[in-house]
Amino acid sequence: MYLKYAIWGVMILSSLMLLLIVFRSRSGGRVVASLGLNVVVAAFLLYVLNLVSSYTHVELPINTATLGTATLLGIPGVMLLVGVKLALL
């Protein structure tokens, strides 16, 4: 029981320290805003792909793996995910 609270405490403390380090630098806010914008664009791309899945017959789940790949690689990442999906099925 106490271990659970200790783990949560360490997680919260490390998250606060990470935020302090990121926002301490002058360009930290821009990095966080850019990453947030990339996540939103990636989620929108995956949503649109799933929206037109009745025509393309390609459905990709929106989970952390697909969202992370689409966030880091952008449109080529979504195309990579579609290619992997088509190659494996």
Side-chain angles (χ1 to χ4, degrees):
M1 184 74 157
Y2 294 113
L3 182 63
K4 182 178 172 182
Y5 292 126
I7 291 172
W8 275 104
V10 168
M11 213 160 58
I12 290 171
L13 182 66
S14 63
S15 298
L16 289 174
M17 290 175 66
L18 180 65
L19 285 173
L20 177 71
I21 290 170
V22 166
F23 286 117
R24 197 173 209 187
S25 67
R26 301 217 183 257
S27 63
R30 276 187 254 148
V31 170
V32 172
S34 173
L35 185 63
L37 181 65
N38 284 345
V39 169
V40 169
V41 169
F44 180 73
L45 286 174
L46 289 173
Y47 176 72
V48 167
L49 182 70
N50 286 331
L51 195 62
V52 297
S53 67
S54 62
Y55 301 112
T56 61
H57 302 293
V58 176
E59 293 181 4
L60 289 175
I62 300 177
N63 56 24
T64 55
T66 58
L67 196 59
T69 303
T71 299
L72 290 177
L73 300 176
I75 294 173
V78 174
M79 293 183 347
L80 172 77
L81 289 170
V82 169
V84 168
K85 174 89 175 192
L86 292 175
L88 293 179
L89 295 178

Coordinates of all heavy atoms in Angstrom, one line a residue:
M1 N 0.8 -1.2 0.0 CA 0.0 0.0 0.0 C 0.9 1.3 0.0 O 0.6 2.2 -0.7 CB -0.9 0.0 1.2 CG -1.9 1.1 1.3 SD -3.2 0.8 0.1 CE -4.4 1.8 0.7
Y2 N 1.9 1.3 0.8 CA 2.8 2.4 0.9 C 3.7 2.6 -0.3 O 4.0 3.6 -0.7 CB 3.6 2.4 2.2 CG 2.8 2.5 3.4 CD1 2.7 1.4 4.3 CD2 2.2 3.7 3.7 CE1 2.0 1.5 5.5 CE2 1.4 3.8 4.9 CZ 1.3 2.7 5.8 OH 0.6 2.8 6.9
L3 N 4.0 1.4 -0.9 CA 4.8 1.4 -2.1 C 4.1 2.1 -3.3 O 4.7 2.9 -4.0 CB 5.2 0.0 -2.5 CG 6.1 -0.2 -3.7 CD1 7.4 0.5 -3.5 CD2 6.2 -1.6 -4.1
K4 N 2.8 1.9 -3.3 CA 2.0 2.6 -4.4 C 2.0 4.1 -4.2 O 2.2 4.8 -5.2 CB 0.5 2.1 -4.2 CG -0.4 2.6 -5.3 CD -1.8 2.0 -5.0 CE -2.8 2.7 -5.9 NZ -4.2 2.1 -5.7
Y5 N 1.9 4.6 -3.0 CA 2.0 6.0 -2.8 C 3.4 6.6 -3.0 O 3.6 7.7 -3.5 CB 1.6 6.4 -1.3 CG 0.1 6.1 -1.1 CD1 -0.3 5.4 0.0 CD2 -0.9 6.7 -1.9 CE1 -1.7 5.1 0.2 CE2 -2.2 6.5 -1.7 CZ -2.6 5.7 -0.7 OH -3.9 5.5 -0.4
A6 N 4.4 5.8 -2.7 CA 5.8 6.2 -3.0 C 6.0 6.3 -4.5 O 6.7 7.2 -4.9 CB 6.7 5.2 -2.3
I7 N 5.5 5.3 -5.2 CA 5.7 5.4 -6.7 C 5.0 6.6 -7.3 O 5.6 7.3 -8.1 CB 5.2 4.1 -7.3 CG1 6.1 2.9 -6.9 CG2 5.1 4.2 -8.8 CD1 5.7 1.6 -7.4
W8 N 3.8 6.9 -6.8 CA 3.1 8.1 -7.3 C 3.8 9.3 -6.9 O 3.9 10.3 -7.7 CB 1.7 8.1 -6.8 CG 0.7 7.3 -7.6 CD1 0.2 6.1 -7.3 CD2 0.2 7.7 -8.9 NE1 -0.6 5.7 -8.3 CE2 -0.7 6.7 -9.3 CE3 0.3 8.8 -9.7 CZ2 -1.3 6.7 -10.5 CZ3 -0.3 8.9 -10.9 CH2 -1.1 7.8 -11.3
G9 N 4.4 9.4 -5.7 CA 5.1 10.6 -5.3 C 6.4 10.8 -6.1 O 6.7 11.9 -6.5
V10 N 7.1 9.7 -6.4 CA 8.3 9.8 -7.2 C 7.9 10.3 -8.6 O 8.6 11.1 -9.3 CB 9.1 8.5 -7.2 CG1 10.1 8.5 -8.3 CG2 9.7 8.2 -5.9
M11 N 6.8 9.7 -9.2 CA 6.4 10.1 -10.5 C 6.0 11.6 -10.6 O 6.4 12.3 -11.5 CB 5.2 9.2 -10.9 CG 5.2 8.9 -12.4 SD 4.3 7.5 -12.8 CE 2.7 7.8 -12.2
I12 N 5.3 12.1 -9.6 CA 4.8 13.5 -9.6 C 6.0 14.4 -9.4 O 6.2 15.4 -10.1 CB 3.8 13.7 -8.5 CG1 2.5 13.0 -8.9 CG2 3.5 15.2 -8.2 CD1 1.4 13.0 -7.8
L13 N 6.9 14.0 -8.5 CA 8.1 14.8 -8.3 C 9.0 14.9 -9.5 O 9.5 16.0 -9.9 CB 8.9 14.3 -7.1 CG 10.1 15.1 -6.7 CD1 9.7 16.4 -6.2 CD2 10.9 14.3 -5.6
S14 N 9.2 13.8 -10.2 CA 10.0 13.8 -11.4 C 9.4 14.6 -12.5 O 10.1 15.2 -13.3 CB 10.4 12.4 -11.8 OG 9.2 11.7 -12.2
S15 N 8.1 14.5 -12.6 CA 7.4 15.3 -13.6 C 7.5 16.8 -13.4 O 7.7 17.5 -14.3 CB 5.9 14.9 -13.7 OG 5.7 13.6 -14.0
L16 N 7.4 17.2 -12.1 CA 7.5 18.6 -11.8 C 9.0 19.1 -12.1 O 9.2 20.2 -12.6 CB 7.2 18.8 -10.3 CG 5.7 18.7 -10.0 CD1 5.4 18.9 -8.5 CD2 4.9 19.8 -10.8
M17 N 9.9 18.2 -11.7 CA 11.3 18.6 -12.0 C 11.6 18.7 -13.5 O 12.3 19.6 -14.0 CB 12.3 17.6 -11.3 CG 12.3 17.7 -9.8 SD 13.3 16.4 -9.0 CE 14.9 16.9 -9.6
L18 N 11.0 17.8 -14.3 CA 11.2 17.8 -15.7 C 10.6 19.1 -16.3 O 11.1 19.8 -17.2 CB 10.5 16.6 -16.4 CG 10.6 16.5 -17.9 CD1 12.1 16.4 -18.3 CD2 9.8 15.4 -18.4
L19 N 9.4 19.5 -15.8 CA 8.7 20.7 -16.3 C 9.6 21.9 -15.9 O 9.7 22.9 -16.7 CB 7.3 20.8 -15.7 CG 6.3 20.0 -16.3 CD1 5.0 20.1 -15.6 CD2 6.1 20.3 -17.8
L20 N 10.2 21.9 -14.7 CA 11.0 23.0 -14.3 C 12.2 23.1 -15.2 O 12.6 24.2 -15.6 CB 11.5 22.8 -12.8 CG 12.4 23.8 -12.3 CD1 11.6 25.1 -12.0 CD2 13.0 23.3 -11.0
I21 N 12.8 22.0 -15.5 CA 14.0 22.1 -16.4 C 13.6 22.5 -17.8 O 14.4 23.3 -18.4 CB 14.7 20.7 -16.5 CG1 15.3 20.4 -15.1 CG2 15.7 20.6 -17.6 CD1 15.8 18.9 -15.0
V22 N 12.5 22.1 -18.3 CA 12.1 22.5 -19.7 C 11.8 23.9 -19.7 O 12.2 24.7 -20.7 CB 10.9 21.6 -20.2 CG1 10.3 22.2 -21.4 CG2 11.3 20.2 -20.4
F23 N 11.0 24.5 -18.8 CA 10.6 25.8 -18.8 C 11.6 26.8 -18.3 O 11.5 28.0 -18.4 CB 9.3 26.0 -18.1 CG 8.1 25.5 -18.8 CD1 7.3 24.5 -18.3 CD2 7.8 26.0 -20.1 CE1 6.2 24.0 -19.0 CE2 6.7 25.5 -20.8 CZ 5.9 24.5 -20.2
R24 N 12.7 26.3 -17.8 CA 13.8 27.2 -17.3 C 14.5 27.8 -18.5 O 15.0 28.9 -18.4 CB 14.7 26.4 -16.4 CG 15.6 27.2 -15.5 CD 16.3 26.3 -14.6 NE 16.6 27.0 -13.4 CZ 17.4 26.6 -12.5 NH1 17.9 25.3 -12.6 NH2 17.6 27.3 -11.4
S25 N 14.7 27.0 -19.5 CA 15.4 27.5 -20.7 C 14.5 28.4 -21.5 O 13.2 28.4 -21.3 CB 15.9 26.4 -21.6 OG 14.8 25.7 -22.1
R26 N 15.0 29.3 -22.3 CA 14.2 30.3 -23.0 C 13.4 29.6 -24.1 O 12.3 30.1 -24.4 CB 15.1 31.3 -23.6 CG 15.9 32.1 -22.6 CD 16.1 33.5 -23.0 NE 16.9 34.2 -22.0 CZ 16.4 34.9 -21.0 NH1 15.1 35.1 -21.0 NH2 17.2 35.5 -20.2
S27 N 13.9 28.6 -24.7 CA 13.2 27.9 -25.8 C 12.4 26.7 -25.4 O 11.8 26.0 -26.2 CB 14.2 27.5 -26.9 OG 15.0 26.5 -26.4
G28 N 12.2 26.5 -24.1 CA 11.5 25.4 -23.6 C 10.0 25.4 -23.9 O 9.4 24.4 -24.3
G29 N 9.4 26.6 -23.9 CA 8.0 26.8 -24.2 C 7.7 26.5 -25.6 O 6.7 25.9 -26.0
R30 N 8.6 26.9 -26.5 CA 8.5 26.6 -27.9 C 8.5 25.1 -28.2 O 7.8 24.6 -29.1 CB 9.5 27.3 -28.7 CG 9.1 28.8 -29.0 CD 10.1 29.4 -29.9 NE 10.9 30.3 -29.1 CZ 12.1 30.6 -29.3 NH1 12.8 30.1 -30.3 NH2 12.7 31.4 -28.4
V31 N 9.4 24.4 -27.5 CA 9.5 23.0 -27.7 C 8.3 22.2 -27.3 O 7.7 21.4 -28.0 CB 10.8 22.4 -27.0 CG1 10.8 20.9 -27.0 CG2 12.0 23.0 -27.5
V32 N 7.7 22.6 -26.2 CA 6.5 22.0 -25.7 C 5.3 22.3 -26.6 O 4.5 21.4 -26.9 CB 6.2 22.4 -24.2 CG1 4.9 22.0 -23.8 CG2 7.3 21.9 -23.3
A33 N 5.2 23.6 -27.1 CA 4.2 24.0 -28.0 C 4.3 23.2 -29.3 O 3.3 22.8 -29.9 CB 4.2 25.5 -28.2
S34 N 5.5 23.1 -29.8 CA 5.7 22.4 -31.1 C 5.3 20.9 -30.9 O 4.7 20.4 -31.8 CB 7.1 22.5 -31.5 OG 7.4 21.7 -32.6
L35 N 5.7 20.3 -29.9 CA 5.4 18.9 -29.6 C 3.9 18.7 -29.5 O 3.3 17.8 -30.0 CB 6.1 18.4 -28.4 CG 5.9 16.9 -28.1 CD1 6.5 16.0 -29.2 CD2 6.5 16.5 -26.8
G36 N 3.2 19.6 -28.8 CA 1.8 19.6 -28.6 C 1.1 19.7 -30.0 O 0.1 19.0 -30.3
L37 N 1.5 20.6 -30.8 CA 0.9 20.8 -32.1 C 1.1 19.6 -33.0 O 0.2 19.2 -33.7 CB 1.6 22.0 -32.8 CG 1.0 22.4 -34.2 CD1 -0.4 22.8 -34.1 CD2 1.8 23.5 -34.8
N38 N 2.3 19.0 -32.9 CA 2.6 17.7 -33.7 C 1.6 16.6 -33.2 O 1.1 15.8 -34.1 CB 4.0 17.3 -33.5 CG 4.9 18.1 -34.3 OD1 4.5 18.8 -35.2 ND2 6.2 18.0 -34.1
V39 N 1.4 16.5 -31.9 CA 0.4 15.5 -31.4 C -1.0 15.7 -31.9 O -1.7 14.8 -32.4 CB 0.5 15.4 -29.9 CG1 -0.6 14.5 -29.4 CG2 1.8 14.9 -29.4
V40 N -1.4 16.9 -31.9 CA -2.8 17.3 -32.4 C -2.9 17.0 -33.9 O -3.9 16.4 -34.4 CB -3.1 18.7 -32.1 CG1 -4.4 19.2 -32.8 CG2 -3.2 18.9 -30.6
V41 N -1.9 17.4 -34.7 CA -1.9 17.1 -36.1 C -1.9 15.6 -36.4 O -2.6 15.1 -37.3 CB -0.8 17.8 -36.8 CG1 -0.6 17.4 -38.3 CG2 -1.0 19.3 -36.8
A42 N -1.1 14.8 -35.7 CA -1.0 13.4 -35.9 C -2.3 12.7 -35.5 O -2.8 11.8 -36.3 CB 0.1 12.8 -35.0
A43 N -3.0 13.2 -34.4 CA -4.3 12.6 -34.1 C -5.3 12.9 -35.1 O -6.2 12.1 -35.5 CB -4.7 13.1 -32.7
F44 N -5.3 14.1 -35.7 CA -6.2 14.5 -36.7 C -6.0 13.7 -38.0 O -7.0 13.2 -38.6 CB -6.1 16.0 -37.0 CG -7.0 16.5 -38.1 CD1 -8.3 16.6 -37.8 CD2 -6.5 16.8 -39.3 CE1 -9.2 17.1 -38.8 CE2 -7.4 17.2 -40.3 CZ -8.7 17.4 -40.1
L45 N -4.8 13.5 -38.3 CA -4.5 12.6 -39.5 C -5.0 11.2 -39.3 O -5.6 10.6 -40.3 CB -3.0 12.6 -39.8 CG -2.4 13.9 -40.4 CD1 -0.9 13.7 -40.5 CD2 -3.0 14.1 -41.8
L46 N -4.8 10.6 -38.2 CA -5.3 9.3 -37.9 C -6.8 9.2 -37.9 O -7.4 8.3 -38.3 CB -4.7 8.8 -36.6 CG -3.2 8.4 -36.6 CD1 -2.7 8.1 -35.2 CD2 -2.9 7.3 -37.6
Y47 N -7.4 10.3 -37.4 CA -8.9 10.3 -37.3 C -9.4 10.4 -38.7 O -10.4 9.7 -39.1 CB -9.3 11.6 -36.5 CG -10.8 11.7 -36.5 CD1 -11.6 10.9 -35.8 CD2 -11.4 12.8 -37.2 CE1 -13.0 11.0 -35.8 CE2 -12.8 12.9 -37.2 CZ -13.6 12.1 -36.5 OH -14.9 12.2 -36.5
V48 N -8.8 11.3 -39.6 CA -9.3 11.4 -40.9 C -9.1 10.1 -41.7 O -10.0 9.7 -42.5 CB -8.6 12.6 -41.7 CG1 -8.8 12.5 -43.2 CG2 -9.0 13.9 -41.1
L49 N -8.0 9.4 -41.5 CA -7.7 8.1 -42.1 C -8.8 7.1 -41.7 O -9.3 6.4 -42.5 CB -6.4 7.6 -41.7 CG -6.0 6.3 -42.4 CD1 -5.8 6.5 -43.9 CD2 -4.7 5.7 -41.8
N50 N -9.2 7.1 -40.4 CA -10.2 6.2 -40.0 C -11.6 6.6 -40.5 O -12.5 5.8 -40.6 CB -10.2 6.1 -38.4 CG -9.1 5.3 -37.9 OD1 -8.6 4.4 -38.6 ND2 -8.6 5.6 -36.8
L51 N -11.8 7.9 -40.7 CA -13.0 8.4 -41.2 C -13.3 8.0 -42.6 O -14.4 7.7 -43.0 CB -13.1 10.0 -41.1 CG -14.4 10.7 -41.2 CD1 -15.3 10.3 -40.1 CD2 -14.2 12.2 -41.2
V52 N -12.3 7.9 -43.4 CA -12.4 7.5 -44.8 C -12.1 6.0 -45.0 O -11.9 5.6 -46.1 CB -11.5 8.3 -45.8 CG1 -11.9 9.8 -45.8 CG2 -10.1 8.2 -45.5
S53 N -12.1 5.3 -43.9 CA -11.8 3.8 -44.0 C -12.9 3.1 -44.7 O -12.6 2.0 -45.2 CB -11.6 3.3 -42.6 OG -12.8 3.3 -41.9
S54 N -14.1 3.6 -44.8 CA -15.1 2.9 -45.6 C -14.8 2.9 -47.1 O -15.2 1.9 -47.8 CB -16.5 3.5 -45.4 OG -16.5 4.9 -45.9
Y55 N -14.0 3.8 -47.6 CA -13.6 3.8 -49.0 C -12.2 3.1 -49.1 O -12.0 2.4 -50.1 CB -13.4 5.3 -49.4 CG -14.7 6.1 -49.4 CD1 -14.8 7.1 -48.5 CD2 -15.8 5.8 -50.2 CE1 -16.0 7.9 -48.4 CE2 -17.0 6.5 -50.1 CZ -17.0 7.5 -49.2 OH -18.2 8.2 -49.1
T56 N -11.3 3.3 -48.2 CA -10.0 2.7 -48.3 C -9.8 1.4 -47.7 O -8.8 0.7 -48.0 CB -8.9 3.7 -47.7 OG1 -9.2 3.8 -46.3 CG2 -8.9 5.0 -48.4
H57 N -10.7 1.0 -46.8 CA -10.6 -0.3 -46.1 C -9.3 -0.4 -45.3 O -8.8 -1.5 -45.1 CB -10.8 -1.5 -47.0 CG -12.0 -1.5 -47.8 ND1 -13.3 -1.6 -47.2 CD2 -12.3 -1.3 -49.1 CE1 -14.2 -1.5 -48.2 NE2 -13.6 -1.3 -49.3
V58 N -8.8 0.7 -44.8 CA -7.6 0.7 -43.9 C -8.0 1.4 -42.6 O -8.4 2.6 -42.7 CB -6.5 1.5 -44.6 CG1 -5.3 1.6 -43.6 CG2 -6.1 0.8 -45.9
E59 N -8.0 0.7 -41.5 CA -8.3 1.3 -40.2 C -7.0 1.2 -39.3 O -6.4 0.1 -39.2 CB -9.4 0.5 -39.6 CG -10.7 0.7 -40.3 CD -11.9 0.0 -39.6 OE1 -11.6 -0.6 -38.5 OE2 -13.0 0.0 -40.1
L60 N -6.6 2.3 -38.8 CA -5.5 2.3 -37.8 C -6.1 2.7 -36.5 O -6.7 3.8 -36.4 CB -4.4 3.3 -38.3 CG -3.6 2.8 -39.5 CD1 -2.7 4.0 -39.9 CD2 -2.8 1.6 -39.2
P61 N -5.7 2.0 -35.4 CA -6.2 2.5 -34.1 C -5.4 3.7 -33.6 O -4.3 3.9 -34.0 CB -5.9 1.3 -33.2 CG -4.8 0.6 -33.9 CD -5.0 0.8 -35.4
I62 N -6.1 4.5 -32.9 CA -5.4 5.7 -32.3 C -5.0 5.3 -30.9 O -5.7 5.4 -30.0 CB -6.3 6.9 -32.3 CG1 -6.8 7.3 -33.7 CG2 -5.6 8.1 -31.7 CD1 -7.7 8.4 -33.8
N63 N -3.7 4.8 -30.8 CA -3.2 4.5 -29.5 C -1.8 5.1 -29.4 O -1.4 5.9 -30.3 CB -3.1 3.0 -29.4 CG -2.3 2.3 -30.5 OD1 -1.5 2.9 -31.1 ND2 -2.7 1.0 -30.7
T64 N -1.1 4.8 -28.4 CA 0.2 5.5 -28.1 C 1.3 5.2 -29.2 O 2.0 6.1 -29.6 CB 0.8 5.2 -26.7 OG1 0.9 3.8 -26.6 CG2 -0.1 5.8 -25.7
A65 N 1.3 4.0 -29.7 CA 2.3 3.6 -30.7 C 2.0 4.3 -32.0 O 2.9 4.9 -32.6 CB 2.2 2.1 -30.9
T66 N 0.8 4.3 -32.5 CA 0.5 4.9 -33.8 C 0.6 6.5 -33.7 O 1.1 7.1 -34.6 CB -0.9 4.5 -34.3 OG1 -1.9 4.9 -33.3 CG2 -1.0 3.1 -34.6
L67 N 0.1 7.0 -32.5 CA 0.2 8.4 -32.3 C 1.6 8.9 -32.2 O 2.0 9.9 -32.8 CB -0.6 8.8 -31.1 CG -1.0 10.3 -30.9 CD1 -1.8 10.8 -32.1 CD2 -1.7 10.5 -29.7
G68 N 2.5 8.1 -31.5 CA 3.9 8.5 -31.4 C 4.6 8.4 -32.8 O 5.4 9.3 -33.1
T69 N 4.3 7.4 -33.6 CA 4.9 7.3 -34.9 C 4.5 8.4 -35.8 O 5.3 9.1 -36.5 CB 4.6 6.0 -35.5 OG1 5.0 4.9 -34.7 CG2 5.2 5.8 -36.9
A70 N 3.2 8.7 -35.8 CA 2.7 9.8 -36.6 C 3.2 11.2 -36.1 O 3.4 12.1 -36.9 CB 1.2 9.8 -36.6
T71 N 3.4 11.3 -34.8 CA 3.9 12.6 -34.2 C 5.4 12.8 -34.6 O 5.8 13.9 -35.0 CB 3.8 12.6 -32.7 OG1 2.5 12.5 -32.3 CG2 4.4 13.8 -32.1
L72 N 6.2 11.8 -34.5 CA 7.6 11.9 -34.8 C 7.9 12.0 -36.3 O 8.7 12.8 -36.8 CB 8.4 10.8 -34.3 CG 8.5 10.7 -32.8 CD1 9.3 9.5 -32.3 CD2 9.2 12.0 -32.2
L73 N 7.1 11.3 -37.1 CA 7.4 11.2 -38.6 C 6.5 12.0 -39.5 O 6.7 12.2 -40.6 CB 7.5 9.8 -39.0 CG 8.5 8.9 -38.3 CD1 8.4 7.5 -38.8 CD2 9.9 9.4 -38.6
G74 N 5.3 12.4 -38.9 CA 4.4 13.2 -39.7 C 3.6 12.4 -40.7 O 3.3 11.2 -40.5
I75 N 3.4 13.0 -41.9 CA 2.6 12.3 -42.9 C 3.3 11.1 -43.4 O 2.7 10.0 -43.6 CB 2.3 13.3 -44.1 CG1 1.3 14.3 -43.6 CG2 1.7 12.5 -45.3 CD1 1.0 15.5 -44.5
P76 N 4.7 11.1 -43.6 CA 5.3 9.8 -44.0 C 5.2 8.8 -42.9 O 5.1 7.6 -43.2 CB 6.8 10.3 -44.1 CG 6.8 11.7 -44.4 CD 5.6 12.2 -43.7
G77 N 5.1 9.1 -41.7 CA 4.8 8.2 -40.6 C 3.5 7.5 -40.7 O 3.3 6.3 -40.5
V78 N 2.5 8.3 -41.1 CA 1.1 7.7 -41.3 C 1.1 6.8 -42.5 O 0.6 5.7 -42.5 CB 0.1 8.8 -41.5 CG1 -1.3 8.2 -41.8 CG2 0.0 9.7 -40.2
M79 N 1.8 7.2 -43.5 CA 2.0 6.3 -44.7 C 2.7 5.0 -44.4 O 2.4 4.0 -44.9 CB 2.6 7.1 -45.9 CG 1.7 8.2 -46.4 SD 2.3 9.1 -47.8 CE 3.9 8.8 -48.1
L80 N 3.7 5.2 -43.5 CA 4.5 4.0 -43.1 C 3.6 3.0 -42.3 O 3.6 1.8 -42.5 CB 5.6 4.4 -42.2 CG 6.4 3.3 -41.5 CD1 7.3 2.6 -42.4 CD2 7.2 3.9 -40.3
L81 N 2.7 3.6 -41.4 CA 1.8 2.7 -40.7 C 0.8 2.0 -41.6 O 0.5 0.9 -41.4 CB 1.1 3.6 -39.6 CG 1.9 4.1 -38.4 CD1 1.1 5.1 -37.6 CD2 2.3 2.9 -37.6
V82 N 0.3 2.8 -42.6 CA -0.6 2.1 -43.5 C 0.1 1.0 -44.3 O -0.4 -0.1 -44.5 CB -1.2 3.2 -44.5 CG1 -1.9 2.6 -45.7 CG2 -2.1 4.1 -43.8
G83 N 1.4 1.3 -44.7 CA 2.1 0.2 -45.4 C 2.4 -1.0 -44.6 O 2.2 -2.1 -45.0
V84 N 2.7 -0.8 -43.3 CA 2.9 -1.9 -42.4 C 1.6 -2.7 -42.2 O 1.6 -3.9 -42.2 CB 3.5 -1.4 -41.1 CG1 3.4 -2.5 -40.0 CG2 4.9 -1.0 -41.2
K85 N 0.5 -1.9 -42.1 CA -0.8 -2.6 -41.9 C -1.2 -3.4 -43.1 O -1.6 -4.6 -43.0 CB -1.9 -1.5 -41.6 CG -3.3 -2.0 -41.6 CD -3.7 -2.4 -40.2 CE -5.1 -2.7 -40.2 NZ -5.6 -2.8 -38.9
L86 N -1.0 -2.9 -44.3 CA -1.3 -3.6 -45.5 C -0.3 -4.8 -45.8 O -0.7 -5.8 -46.3 CB -1.3 -2.7 -46.7 CG -2.4 -1.6 -46.8 CD1 -2.2 -0.7 -47.9 CD2 -3.7 -2.3 -46.8
A87 N 0.9 -4.7 -45.4 CA 1.9 -5.7 -45.6 C 1.6 -6.9 -44.6 O 1.9 -8.0 -45.0 CB 3.3 -5.2 -45.4
L88 N 1.2 -6.6 -43.4 CA 1.0 -7.7 -42.4 C -0.4 -8.4 -42.6 O -0.5 -9.5 -42.1 CB 1.1 -7.1 -41.0 CG 2.5 -6.7 -40.6 CD1 2.5 -6.1 -39.2 CD2 3.5 -7.8 -40.7
L89 N -1.3 -7.7 -43.2 CA -2.6 -8.4 -43.4 C -2.9 -8.8 -44.7 O -3.0 -8.6 -45.7 CB -3.7 -7.5 -42.8 CG -3.7 -7.2 -41.4 CD1 -4.8 -6.2 -40.9 CD2 -3.8 -8.5 -40.5

